[in-house]
Amino acid sequence: QVQVIESGGGLVQAGGSLRLSCVASVRAFENYAMGWFRQAPGKEREFVASILGKGVNKEYADSVKGRFTISRDNAKNTVYLQMNRLKAEDTGVYYCTTAYGRLSGGGYWGQGTQVTVSS
């Protein structure tokens, strides 16, 4: 049973920073793509960022480019999302997901961690 566990959410003022972490209990973690999605109240879940196994290929939603950075530590089975210059519209539940090779809509998901940005 694969487990995906997020941590690091919380309450922060606009302009502040948070770092989310996600641990995935998969073997050969370096073969798995990792990603972050978020869901704001009353809205659909949306893509935030993704990173492939070797950590070179990264993608970001336009809304977070230049403010968020995704990275991974394959020795720790962990992916991070460094969020800087946070805005009220970044508020939501942040979900971590992983899939073998590339993210494809399936894969494994965590339970989410709440991020609240006060304006």
Side-chain angles (χ1 to χ4, degrees):
Q1 181 80 14
V2 173
Q3 287 188 313
V4 179
I5 302 174
E6 305 98 335
S7 62
L11 173 64
V12 64
Q13 288 188 333
S17 298
L18 279 176
R19 188 176 81 154
L20 306 183
S21 300
C22 171
V23 178
S25 66
V26 296
R27 291 186 176 183
F29 179 74
E30 64 275 11
N31 292 330
Y32 284 75
M34 301 293 297
W36 290 96
F37 285 69
R38 67 187 181 188
Q39 188 167 18
K43 295 187 176 181
E44 293 187 352
R45 191 174 297 188
E46 64 176 3
F47 169 78
V48 175
S50 65
I51 185 169
L52 296 187
K54 295 186 183 297
V56 175
N57 298 92
K58 305 177 185 181
E59 293 186 5
Y60 297 92
D62 287 343
S63 59
V64 306
K65 281 181 182 176
R67 300 187 298 120
F68 290 12
T69 302
I70 189 169
S71 62
R72 62 191 292 157
D73 184 339
N74 286 348
K76 296 182 179 180
N77 278 35
T78 301
V79 65
Y80 304 98
L81 185 68
Q82 178 66 44
M83 306 185 294
N84 297 329
R85 304 199 309 275
L86 283 160
K87 304 175 182 179
E89 50 263 45
D90 294 318
T91 293
V93 179
Y94 282 68
Y95 297 92
C96 178
T97 183
T98 182
Y100 188 86
R102 287 184 173 274
L103 298 181
S104 59
Y108 305 95
W109 291 81
Q111 293 298 307
T113 185
Q114 176 71 44
V115 172
T116 303
V117 184
S118 63
S119 56

